[in-house]
Amino acid sequence: MTKLPSATYPWSVAQLRIALAQVNSTVGDLDGNAASIVEWTRRAADAGAHLVAFPEMMLTGYPVEDLALRASFVEASRRALERLARTLADEGLGDLPVVTGHLGSRTGGDGGAGQPAGSPLNAAAWLHGGAVRVSSAKHHLPNYGVFDEYRIFVRGDRLPVVRVHGVDVATVICEDLWQDGGPASVTRAAGAGLLLAVNASPYERDKDDARLDLCARRAREAGCALAYVNMVGGQDELVFDGDSLIVGPDGTPLARAPQFTEHLLVTDLTLPAAEPGVPLRMHDTPVEAPDGSTITVDRHVLSAEPLPAYPAEPPTVAEPLDGLAEIYAALVLGTRDYVRKNGFRSVVLGLSGGIDSALVATIAADAIGPENVHAVLLPSRYSSEGSVVDAEELVKRQGVNGRTVPIAGMVEAFEKQLDLHGLAAENLQARIRANVWMALSNEHGHLVLTGGNKSELATGYSTLYGDSAGGFAPIKDVFKLTVWDLARWRNTQTGTGLPFLYPFAQEPIPDVIIEKEPSAELRPDQRDRDTLPEYTVLDPILADYVERDMGRDALVAAGHDPALVERAIRLVDIAEYKRRQYPPGPKITPKNFGRDRRLPITNRWREPSSRD
Amino acid sequence: MTKLPSATYPWSVAQLRIALAQVNSTVGDLDGNAASIVEWTRRAADAGAHLVAFPEMMLTGYPVEDLALRASFVEASRRALERLARTLADEGLGDLPVVTGHLGSRTGGDGGAGQPAGSPLNAAAWLHGGAVRVSSAKHHLPNYGVFDEYRIFVRGDRLPVVRVHGVDVATVICEDLWQDGGPASVTRAAGAGLLLAVNASPYERDKDDARLDLCARRAREAGCALAYVNMVGGQDELVFDGDSLIVGPDGTPLARAPQFTEHLLVTDLTLPAAEPGVPLRMHDTPVEAPDGSTITVDRHVLSAEPLPAYPAEPPTVAEPLDGLAEIYAALVLGTRDYVRKNGFRSVVLGLSGGIDSALVATIAADAIGPENVHAVLLPSRYSSEGSVVDAEELVKRQGVNGRTVPIAGMVEAFEKQLDLHGLAAENLQARIRANVWMALSNEHGHLVLTGGNKSELATGYSTLYGDSAGGFAPIKDVFKLTVWDLARWRNTQTGTGLPFLYPFAQEPIPDVIIEKEPSAELRPDQRDRDTLPEYTVLDPILADYVERDMGRDALVAAGHDPALVERAIRLVDIAEYKRRQYPPGPKITPKNFGRDRRLPITNRWREPSSRD
């Protein structure tokens, strides 16, 4: 092993037109994802690109979770990668280098006790001339939040540096960028002219700038331009927003793709040319990286000579969406992909006349078209007349399919057999409604959408197997105050032509639905505030407690009212089991009760109610 | 850093009476768990023990999952440990060294990007003289199956060697034993006379002998006797079976505690005495362990002089339970602890007259007493008369509370509003039954038990929000063939006096329930075999596919019928979403669809149907 050599300076410059293919893949759809790679590679070739890059795990989809531990899936992935390389050549695309994420495995069997079976790798391959030229694995495996990569992958320890038209291009994968002193440092030492990172980095509210800042910092560490290609699309609870970008060696943004849509970001770069004649410097010699790991550079030459000078095209620099538009776009894409990737074409949902189900209906109409949305009005003896009228007005404005199924007779049939009071009687109505949705789902093949928001989910203000039932919960990760904000925002977008919105002729959500006081309408004159603190004070406490893991003392120190803090903590701490029963929904914050929040069900610990 | 010195040989021998406290702790119940440590330490003192050891994470319960990432919980755990040390002294127990698992944290803050917040430690502490004398953390963090320890802990790198009555005792934690060349090797080099391992090792069918074999192998590696104390009790899906044991330096079993019950295993050992006068050999000097890690020995002296010779008591050597008894005991303990630790005193379940609900009722009666079991008979127009009579007979034999709620009127009330056919009509009945259980649960505070077995859960042969609804699924991890085996076995146990069984006066399950052909009774003359392959061929395929992750080709190569393999794979692969909705249940096999099987919901990959 040797110490890192210091960086050398470029001999001269070379041009390269790079295409970042920000595309949507589906977990397990090896053939479909391979076909997508061929199609987007053709587009890149048509655009005159010299190199095209696809996201992390593009060929298998991301995240594959425990599928990586199934030998037959790993083997199918290996064959799919080799077949893809041949197909690209057969289709006349063999000369265009393609970098793509895929599932690999370390040859030589298992890594020992406690290591993942078959030693799977989260890898990126260079395909060229009909063959897989080099593949290397992710160095840093994220194992926090939604990530479980220590469970299913072993670490990589090689850094490929591939010469393309006289430019040395190093490739790394996603989390490799988030650690200081790792492969980026070695990229600098190896004198690469471009660092290419393939990513499947999920959307998170306000994460956007962090990503650009990170790329800028890492480009400076690597001493060269950095091209970042990210996945787009929904996969279970994750939504990938794309936002692929390129920064110069000093961190200056050079190009940026639009969010939440497939896009080929084609950019002409002028890069340091590789020093000719010394392609093997540092090749195959383990070096100590500053992060403590040992990394071996893997040099390959696809084409040694720089291209003749050509006129560069101006780059695309898309503006990121602003706050509410970005969240709404994430919810629409997450909902659309969950419906379609699971083989559904239509959805059914209960429309109560309240704000939550109104927003969910609107998101669904934007996602899959109002003609595929089936709204059911399920009035009970406690439903106000306003609720029914307001729901009917929304059905009319949006052109979704509407149907009314009064539940009074069903409630009575249960009450004839059972003597129920209080919460038991309230919950019964919510469960009867869920039975109706599920019956319509089973009879007609619709996916059931659930209307619960994050505030009620966090506090347990919902009925198990009642309003919490369904296949997908579009606003699961949206606090109530944001539900109102999103509804108001959506109503301002009529005629703006944003590509992820359905072109309704008028405001899709009746104002009266936005303005009314929230109520579950399960007993006479019920109001949310009978049970919960006002959302204006509750939501900020929930954000600090649930998303930031602040304890009671920290919450009080942050300025929240001590009595309300106590009350919110009690509500949240006893709601854990209900949250586990919730269907998946698009994730937009650091913690949404899904895979990113794991707590024991049986837990006797309670936040201390005062300093002791 | 230095190389490992070779082992030295003992100077002489010394006696030690060690007490392994195989006790039941509850996650988050810091006060209750501390009280339990004080109580069992008193019993150990009363038994004349010189050292008492408690399981891994005894003070916090195990597993704490993401609670470890909450600063207020870590702080509360730290205070609880210090308070416990003082309480032991205040109670006159300060002279008896106590080793206990607890949640610690690495001082000096976070470990960097991607490291768990607050650097929590899965640690074991020595308490003596009113203080925490030394605490050290687990070296090897399991991150497979049900374990997520990379997510929440940082690794330890110290090996405490504590001199007690002239014997050097090294302590390690659970997974440390499962890796070759780790702390056990360093234990040998340090010349310790006893290796003490504290564990929270969950029960798994047929795991028993693996554990004894492992202890024997590790004792030989450490060159000294090994004492293994394990947790007992149910925690969510995990069941800890105890089975604490001691082996000699050559691996010979010396003592063993009974399974599935709290027990103080008190054993007199004659051990190598520490070489006097050199307590600091290897102290605080990092050494390279053969597993590649760096370990620092931490030497402490509590009492340097060996005890005067005393007459040893004969050891306890309990026999492990045989196959079906062991499984049944696990299900009873898992069910009892889930009910009680979640604050319930009674359960409600639907009794159909079939084998699954009959076995669940019996397990529940054994777990919490028949007087706390509420069985509801919910006949529909498709229920055979036999079903009702058989269920009534079971109620009578066991003395559980029985109640009949016919559902025909409720079904009709739905059918008046909805035109349902086929599966939609069948599922409606199952969901109406679940509504009744849930209503009784809400009205009376019973926990709902669910009757689904692993065969139907794996194949999706159940109704979402119907028979799969409930708080706990006692036979979730039991294949249908084993359901029958357990029912027959339970009927042979009348009068045997096994401590985990209720003393019914006669066979608790009517033979006719065991003998009848399985049916969901949701349409006329329905039989399981209309939809599923016979269980005698289905269950072995499921075991290989689900528990052993074998692919199609491997299943066929193992001798399963190719057409049935295809059919079983299709059923399992489309049932994933339903499995996610299942309530927790006691885990008895390597994979039971809970935390130990993580698959994407949206997954288009299917096992290839033939070699391609």
Side-chain angles (χ1 to χ4, degrees):
Chain A
M1 201 185 315
T2 63
K3 298 282 178 188
L4 281 189
S6 57
T8 56
Y9 291 92
W11 174 261
S12 62
V13 296
Q15 280 183 286
L16 205 63
R17 180 170 291 176
I18 181 168
L20 302 182
Q22 171 178 299
V23 297
N24 192 340
S25 76
T26 300
V27 163
D29 187 7
L30 299 174
D31 291 342
N33 296 336
S36 178
I37 293 173
V38 173
E39 181 197 329
W40 287 87
T41 300
R42 186 181 311 286
R43 293 190 201 185
D46 292 347
H50 308 118
L51 170 63
V52 55
F54 291 86
E56 181 180 11
M57 294 291 274
M58 169 71 204
L59 186 56
T60 50
Y62 184 88
V64 293
E65 304 194 55
D66 283 5
L67 278 178
L69 304 178
R70 176 155 288 190
S72 51
F73 182 66
V74 175
E75 172 62 12
S77 300
R78 187 187 65 73
R79 288 185 194 190
L81 183 70
E82 290 177 355
R83 202 163 47 231
L84 170 63
R86 289 195 302 271
T87 303
L88 286 165
D90 292 347
E91 298 276 326
L93 300 164
D95 291 339
L96 176 56
V98 172
V99 176
T100 184
H102 70 102
L103 174 63
S105 63
R106 176 159 293 165
T107 48
D110 286 357
Q115 292 296 299
S119 296
L121 297 169
N122 179 338
W126 286 76
L127 312 182
H128 189 249
V132 180
R133 297 297 296 268
V134 56
S135 170
S136 70
K138 201 171 180 174
H139 300 244
H140 290 286
L141 302 176
N143 204 72
Y144 52 83
V146 299
F147 303 109
D148 282 316
E149 296 202 358
Y150 266 100
R151 177 182 177 85
I152 53 168
F153 295 125
V154 295
R155 289 180 65 149
D157 55 5
R158 297 180 81 84
L159 178 73
V161 178
V162 179
R163 191 160 299 177
V164 181
H165 295 304
V167 177
D168 280 342
V169 182
T171 47
V172 296
I173 303 174
C174 207
E175 188 78 5
D176 291 343
L177 288 186
W178 293 81
Q179 310 277 340
D180 287 320
S185 283
V186 179
T187 297
R188 172 184 281 269
L194 176 66
L195 177 57
L196 172 61
V198 305
N199 303 271
S201 171
Y203 170 69
E204 239 176 54
R205 198 172 165 170
D206 308 324
K207 181 176 178 182
D208 188 29
D209 292 328
R211 202 185 272 155
L212 175 61
D213 293 349
L214 175 77
C215 286
R217 195 164 79 240
R218 211 54 76 205
R220 289 190 291 266
E221 184 182 349
C224 64
L226 189 156
Y228 178 101
V229 59
N230 192 22
M231 191 168 276
V232 72
Q235 173 65 37
D236 293 359
E237 295 211 321
L238 302 182
V239 183
F240 300 95
D241 58 330
D243 192 28
S244 300
L245 54 88
I246 301 180
V247 297
D250 59 351
T252 311
L254 303 178
R256 196 161 196 175
Q259 291 171 284
F260 301 108
T261 183
E262 292 194 311
H263 187 83
L264 191 73
L265 185 69
V266 179
T267 310
D268 281 311
L269 296 172
T270 300
L271 301 164
E275 199 179 354
V278 285
L280 292 182
R281 194 168 70 93
M282 287 179 71
H283 177 61
D284 217 17
T285 309
V287 296
E288 281 174 38
D291 67 356
S293 69
T294 301
I295 298 179
T296 303
V297 171
D298 224 353
R299 285 192 179 268
H300 295 260
V301 178
L302 300 186
S303 45
E305 289 304 310
L307 291 160
Y310 65 85
E313 301 278 342
T316 300
V317 187
E319 276 295 309
L321 294 168
D322 69 14
L324 290 169
E326 189 185 61
I327 295 173
Y328 198 90
L331 302 181
V332 168
L333 180 57
T335 302
R336 178 193 302 132
D337 274 3
Y338 194 86
V339 173
R340 295 206 176 148
K341 290 181 179 179
N342 281 301
F344 289 89
R345 275 178 295 195
S346 56
V347 299
V348 60
L349 57 92
L351 204 63
S352 68
I355 183 71
D356 297 318
S357 59
L359 182 63
V360 168
T362 312
I363 290 167
D366 284 325
I368 60 171
E371 68 280 11
N372 297 313
V373 176
H374 297 260
V376 195
L377 286 63
L378 297 140
S380 78
R381 68 182 78 140
Y382 304 123
S383 300
S384 62
E385 195 178 322
S387 297
V388 178
V389 171
D390 301 341
E392 285 169 346
E393 171 67 15
L394 182 145
V395 167
K396 206 183 75 186
R397 287 192 189 189
Q398 298 195 9
V400 301
N401 306 281
R403 174 174 181 177
T404 301
V405 181
I407 65 166
M410 309 171 199
V411 175
E412 280 160 24
F414 277 84
E415 287 177 343
K416 231 178 257 178
Q417 299 279 350
L418 302 167
D419 185 27
L420 302 177
H421 309 83
L423 267 182
E426 293 181 34
N427 284 336
L428 175 66
Q429 301 163 62
R431 294 193 181 109
I432 284 173
R433 290 193 173 109
N435 277 10
V436 174
W437 312 334
M438 290 304 296
L440 294 173
S441 165
N442 288 163
E443 184 73 27
H444 302 293
H446 312 311
L447 179 76
V448 177
L449 294 186
T450 307
N453 63 61
K454 189 168 185 173
S455 305
E456 65 184 36
L457 178 50
T459 54
Y461 193 63
S462 70
T463 300
L464 202 53
Y465 314 125
D467 54 309
S468 63
F472 197 68
I475 58 171
K476 174 184 182 178
D477 197 21
V478 182
F479 285 121
K480 187 79 173 190
L481 295 178
T482 311
V483 170
W484 278 305
D485 289 342
L486 288 171
R488 287 194 197 96
W489 175 86
R490 181 62 185 86
N491 269 356
T492 65
Q493 297 299 309
T494 307
T496 58
L498 279 180
F500 51 92
L501 301 180
Y502 186 85
F504 292 117
Q506 57 180 323
E507 295 186 350
I509 304 175
D511 278 342
V512 60
I513 290 180
I514 301 177
E515 302 307 329
K516 71 174 65 169
E517 190 178 352
S519 165
E521 294 197 336
L522 293 170
R523 62 171 188 262
D525 300 321
Q526 186 175 29
R527 294 288 177 270
D528 287 14
R529 65 184 151 108
D530 301 339
T531 305
L532 300 179
E534 294 286 349
Y535 291 111
T536 46
V537 294
L538 176 63
D539 282 359
I541 297 175
L542 294 177
D544 283 347
Y545 186 52
V546 173
E547 294 178 4
R548 294 178 198 105
D549 268 333
M550 287 165 65
R552 183 209 169 267
D553 293 345
L555 290 167
V556 171
H560 299 296
D561 178 81
L564 289 175
V565 165
E566 302 261 355
R567 200 167 148 208
I569 285 176
R570 292 292 164 271
L571 288 167
V572 171
D573 284 359
I574 60 177
E576 184 59 27
Y577 180 72
K578 254 189 221 175
R579 282 199 293 273
R580 288 222 176 183
Q581 302 284 320
Y582 241 74
K587 174 183 161 57
I588 63 164
T589 68
K591 297 212 174 137
N592 78 345
F593 314 120
R595 299 171 56 230
D596 49 359
R597 189 174 164 87
R598 298 196 189 133
L599 291 170
I601 300 174
T602 306
N603 166 32
R604 293 287 184 89
W605 188 68
R606 299 290 176 259
E607 282 288 336
S609 60
S610 61
R611 278 190 186 281
D612 56 0
Chain B
M1 200 184 315
T2 63
K3 299 281 178 188
L4 281 189
S6 56
T8 55
Y9 291 93
W11 173 262
S12 64
V13 295
Q15 280 183 287
L16 206 61
R17 180 171 291 177
I18 180 167
L20 302 182
Q22 171 178 299
V23 297
N24 193 340
S25 76
T26 299
V27 164
D29 189 5
L30 298 173
D31 291 342
N33 297 335
S36 179
I37 293 173
V38 173
E39 181 197 329
W40 287 87
T41 300
R42 186 182 312 285
R43 293 190 202 184
D46 292 348
H50 308 117
L51 170 63
V52 56
F54 291 86
E56 180 180 10
M57 294 290 274
M58 169 72 202
L59 186 55
T60 51
Y62 184 89
V64 293
E65 304 194 57
D66 284 4
L67 278 178
L69 304 179
R70 176 154 289 190
S72 52
F73 182 66
V74 175
E75 173 61 13
S77 300
R78 187 189 65 74
R79 289 185 194 189
L81 183 70
E82 289 177 357
R83 202 163 48 231
L84 170 63
R86 290 194 301 270
T87 304
L88 285 166
D90 291 348
E91 298 277 325
L93 300 164
D95 291 340
L96 176 55
V98 172
V99 176
T100 184
H102 70 102
L103 174 63
S105 63
R106 175 159 293 164
T107 49
D110 286 359
Q115 291 297 300
S119 298
L121 297 169
N122 179 337
W126 285 76
L127 311 182
H128 189 249
V132 180
R133 297 297 295 268
V134 57
S135 171
S136 70
K138 202 171 180 175
H139 300 244
H140 290 287
L141 302 176
N143 204 72
Y144 52 84
V146 298
F147 304 109
D148 282 316
E149 297 201 358
Y150 266 99
R151 176 183 178 84
I152 54 168
F153 296 126
V154 294
R155 289 180 64 150
D157 56 5
R158 296 181 81 84
L159 179 73
V161 178
V162 179
R163 192 161 298 176
V164 182
H165 296 303
V167 178
D168 280 342
V169 181
T171 46
V172 297
I173 303 174
C174 208
E175 188 78 5
D176 292 341
L177 288 185
W178 292 82
Q179 310 276 341
D180 288 320
S185 283
V186 179
T187 298
R188 172 185 282 269
L194 176 66
L195 177 57
L196 172 61
V198 305
N199 303 272
S201 172
Y203 169 69
E204 238 175 55
R205 199 171 165 170
D206 307 324
K207 182 178 180 182
D208 190 29
D209 293 328
R211 201 183 274 156
L212 176 60
D213 293 349
L214 175 77
C215 287
R217 197 163 78 240
R218 211 54 75 206
R220 289 190 292 267
E221 184 182 348
C224 65
L226 189 156
Y228 178 102
V229 59
N230 193 22
M231 192 168 275
V232 73
Q235 173 65 37
D236 294 356
E237 295 212 320
L238 301 182
V239 184
F240 300 95
D241 57 331
D243 191 28
S244 300
L245 54 88
I246 301 179
V247 297
D250 59 351
T252 312
L254 302 179
R256 196 161 196 174
Q259 291 170 284
F260 301 107
T261 183
E262 291 194 311
H263 186 83
L264 190 73
L265 186 69
V266 179
T267 311
D268 281 310
L269 296 171
T270 300
L271 300 163
E275 200 179 352
V278 285
L280 292 181
R281 194 168 69 94
M282 286 178 72
H283 177 62
D284 216 17
T285 310
V287 297
E288 281 174 37
D291 66 356
S293 68
T294 301
I295 298 178
T296 303
V297 171
D298 223 353
R299 284 192 180 269
H300 295 260
V301 178
L302 300 186
S303 44
E305 288 305 308
L307 293 159
Y310 66 85
E313 301 280 338
T316 300
V317 188
E319 277 294 309
L321 295 168
D322 69 13
L324 290 169
E326 189 183 61
I327 295 172
Y328 198 89
L331 302 181
V332 169
L333 181 57
T335 303
R336 178 193 302 132
D337 275 2
Y338 194 87
V339 172
R340 294 205 177 150
K341 291 182 179 179
N342 282 299
F344 289 89
R345 276 178 293 194
S346 55
V347 299
V348 61
L349 56 92
L351 204 62
S352 68
I355 182 73
D356 297 319
S357 60
L359 181 63
V360 168
T362 312
I363 290 167
D366 284 325
I368 60 171
E371 68 280 12
N372 297 313
V373 176
H374 297 261
V376 195
L377 286 62
L378 297 139
S380 77
R381 68 183 79 142
Y382 305 122
S383 299
S384 62
E385 196 178 322
S387 296
V388 178
V389 171
D390 301 342
E392 285 170 346
E393 170 67 16
L394 182 144
V395 167
K396 207 183 75 188
R397 287 193 189 187
Q398 298 195 9
V400 299
N401 306 282
R403 172 174 183 178
T404 302
V405 180
I407 64 166
M410 309 171 199
V411 175
E412 280 159 25
F414 278 83
E415 288 177 341
K416 232 178 257 178
Q417 299 279 352
L418 302 167
D419 185 28
L420 302 176
H421 309 84
L423 267 180
E426 293 182 33
N427 284 336
L428 175 67
Q429 301 163 63
R431 293 192 182 110
I432 284 173
R433 289 194 172 108
N435 278 10
V436 173
W437 312 334
M438 291 303 297
L440 294 172
S441 165
N442 288 164
E443 184 71 27
H444 302 293
H446 312 311
L447 179 76
V448 176
L449 295 186
T450 307
N453 63 62
K454 189 169 186 173
S455 305
E456 64 184 35
L457 179 50
T459 54
Y461 194 63
S462 69
T463 299
L464 202 54
Y465 314 127
D467 55 309
S468 63
F472 197 68
I475 57 171
K476 174 184 181 178
D477 197 21
V478 182
F479 285 121
K480 187 80 174 190
L481 296 177
T482 312
V483 169
W484 277 307
D485 288 343
L486 289 171
R488 287 193 196 95
W489 175 85
R490 181 63 185 86
N491 269 356
T492 66
Q493 296 301 309
T494 307
T496 58
L498 280 180
F500 52 92
L501 300 181
Y502 186 86
F504 293 118
Q506 58 181 322
E507 296 185 350
I509 303 174
D511 279 341
V512 60
I513 290 180
I514 301 177
E515 302 305 331
K516 70 174 66 168
E517 189 177 352
S519 164
E521 295 196 335
L522 293 172
R523 62 170 187 263
D525 300 323
Q526 185 175 30
R527 294 287 177 272
D528 287 14
R529 65 182 151 109
D530 303 338
T531 304
L532 300 178
E534 294 285 350
Y535 290 110
T536 46
V537 294
L538 176 63
D539 282 359
I541 296 175
L542 293 177
D544 283 346
Y545 186 54
V546 173
E547 293 178 5
R548 292 177 199 106
D549 267 332
M550 288 165 63
R552 183 209 169 267
D553 292 345
L555 291 166
V556 171
H560 299 295
D561 178 81
L564 289 174
V565 165
E566 301 261 356
R567 202 168 146 206
I569 285 176
R570 292 292 164 270
L571 288 166
V572 171
D573 283 358
I574 60 176
E576 182 60 25
Y577 180 72
K578 254 189 221 176
R579 282 200 293 275
R580 289 221 177 182
Q581 302 285 320
Y582 242 74
K587 176 182 160 57
I588 63 165
T589 69
K591 296 210 175 138
N592 76 345
F593 314 120
R595 298 172 57 232
D596 50 357
R597 188 174 165 86
R598 297 195 190 134
L599 291 171
I601 299 173
T602 306
N603 165 30
R604 293 286 184 89
W605 188 68
R606 301 292 175 255
E607 282 286 336
S609 60
S610 61
R611 277 188 188 283
D612 57 358

